[in-house]
Amino acid sequence: MNRARYSDEGGDSRVGSMRTGRSNFGGGGRRRGSDGKKRNGNPIGTWLQNRRRAARTRDDGTLAVGTEAEAMQNLVRNRRHFSYPEAGFETPVEHSLLYAMIAHPERYPNRVIIDEINDEEFEAYLRVAGGDGTQTVSPAAAVSYAQLSALLSLSAEKNTSASSRHDGGGGEDGANPDVDAPSIGEVLCRRLLRTVTKYCDSNGLDRENEVREFLAPVERRCQQRNEKAALQQLLPAYGGYALSIVTGNPLPLLIGAAALTQPDKMAQENQNVVGFQGQGGRTADMERAGLLDEVDSD
């Protein structure tokens, strides 16, 4: 269900944990200005520190730490990439146990994450804060698929497309039931699509348009990450080429060219998104979707 991942207890311990970690940017060297006051020596590092601090500052001005700070930072990032409503949501998905499980799949067994997906009530993540809960006047203003899109995009990034993780007990004879089990992303996408289509049918909306609205941000975010990964791969090659021309030494060029031979870091995420597109296309079809719902209910 929609369970929180932390408890707000013990203010003194929170302050103590806050002091244990320091950033490498702008935290150390303080210099005295012409007025004799101490100032940070690295303005860029100070800006980065202030930006991170603002991302984990509560409404009352206190700083969050641990899982709560991570949830707040995820919320800021998702609001930027997935166009969250200005009013926010009644139930932030970033504060849920499921979000933590998908973000850190190495910490949880595969089947435990899938069980949590099957038990989750995703309808709660549709409601915009301050919206009409009855959905009778203006359904479009009261709900948004943005949180569901952010959750599916996170799964595409973090989870494998095939269920390759073994929970043990199968040995080498191929008897492990997890081998043929659906992946985390497949189960999550199916549940989210069912949530979207259920809302469509309840409000007389077009399935194809609503599924498109749900999946489009996932595809757009994947494209952004592809462009960023390509740039990170090309920069060493261009830098090495320029340095080799200036110095006459071919070694920087060879080192930069080696970056171009690295495996594609986005291959798994791209494969996941293509699979989501296929599921979305089948779900948008009324007849096929009806057959899939019957299969899922058996």
Side-chain angles (χ1 to χ4, degrees):
M1 307 303 289
N2 305 315
R3 290 171 282 178
R5 298 186 283 123
Y6 48 79
S7 60
D8 191 3
E9 299 177 356
D12 294 337
S13 61
R14 180 177 294 113
V15 175
S17 63
M18 227 168 52
R19 294 174 178 169
T20 58
R22 289 184 177 272
S23 170
N24 292 328
F25 301 97
R30 292 181 177 270
R31 302 175 183 174
R32 293 184 181 274
S34 57
D35 55 359
K37 296 181 179 180
K38 291 184 177 181
R39 297 177 179 175
N40 288 335
N42 188 343
I44 298 179
T46 303
W47 176 79
L48 290 172
Q49 269 192 337
N50 293 337
R51 184 179 179 183
R52 294 190 184 111
R53 182 182 295 267
R56 56 190 179 92
T57 301
R58 300 190 185 97
D59 293 337
D60 58 3
T62 60
L63 291 179
V65 296
T67 54
E68 184 181 5
E70 181 180 357
M72 294 178 67
Q73 291 170 351
N74 291 334
L75 178 59
V76 171
R77 183 173 59 252
N78 289 340
R79 185 183 292 120
R80 181 173 67 252
H81 292 303
F82 296 95
S83 303
Y84 277 16
E86 186 176 354
F89 289 90
E90 290 184 0
T91 307
V93 69
E94 293 82 5
H95 292 261
S96 67
L97 174 62
L98 178 59
Y99 194 97
M101 286 183 166
I102 293 177
H104 304 284
E106 70 282 356
R107 300 178 185 176
Y108 305 91
N110 205 36
R111 59 185 66 168
V112 171
I113 301 177
I114 292 179
D115 289 342
E116 184 69 18
I117 293 173
N118 291 327
D119 292 338
E120 191 64 275
E121 295 179 357
F122 291 103
E123 291 80 3
Y125 302 127
L126 293 174
R127 292 191 290 271
V128 175
D132 180 12
T134 62
Q135 317 297 332
T136 57
V137 179
S138 178
V143 303
S144 171
Y145 302 135
Q147 287 197 132
L148 304 187
S149 301
L151 188 62
L152 188 61
S153 177
L154 179 69
S155 178
E157 177 186 351
K158 298 292 186 179
N159 304 133
T160 57
S161 59
S163 184
S164 57
R165 291 169 49 192
H166 298 263
D167 292 336
E172 299 181 357
D173 57 356
N176 194 324
D178 287 339
V179 174
D180 298 325
S183 67
I184 293 174
E186 291 170 341
V187 175
L188 178 64
C189 185
R190 187 181 306 155
R191 283 297 316 279
L192 294 179
L193 285 170
R194 190 182 304 174
T195 301
V196 172
T197 55
K198 181 179 179 181
Y199 176 77
C200 293
D201 296 341
S202 300
N203 294 275
L205 302 175
D206 182 72
R207 277 194 174 197
E208 185 175 357
N209 290 338
E210 298 303 303
V211 169
R212 182 74 252 159
E213 181 181 343
F214 161 59
L215 289 177
V218 180
E219 299 168 7
R220 183 169 59 250
R221 178 57 180 154
C222 181
Q223 180 62 31
Q224 293 172 350
R225 287 178 48 79
N226 272 286
E227 294 172 356
K228 182 178 179 180
L231 184 61
Q232 290 176 343
Q233 196 170 23
L234 289 174
L235 281 179
Y238 284 123
Y241 177 73
L243 190 59
S244 295
I245 292 178
V246 173
T247 62
N249 185 355
L251 185 58
L253 176 61
L254 296 176
I255 295 176
L260 298 177
T261 63
Q262 297 297 320
D264 185 6
K265 297 180 180 179
M266 292 296 298
Q268 188 67 66
E269 183 172 345
N270 291 333
Q271 185 177 353
N272 283 334
V273 173
V274 170
F276 298 159
Q277 291 172 333
Q279 290 191 54
R282 292 191 297 271
T283 303
D285 189 313
M286 291 289 293
E287 295 180 359
R288 294 181 183 179
L291 293 175
L292 289 174
D293 290 341
E294 292 179 3
V295 172
D296 292 338
S297 61
D298 291 342

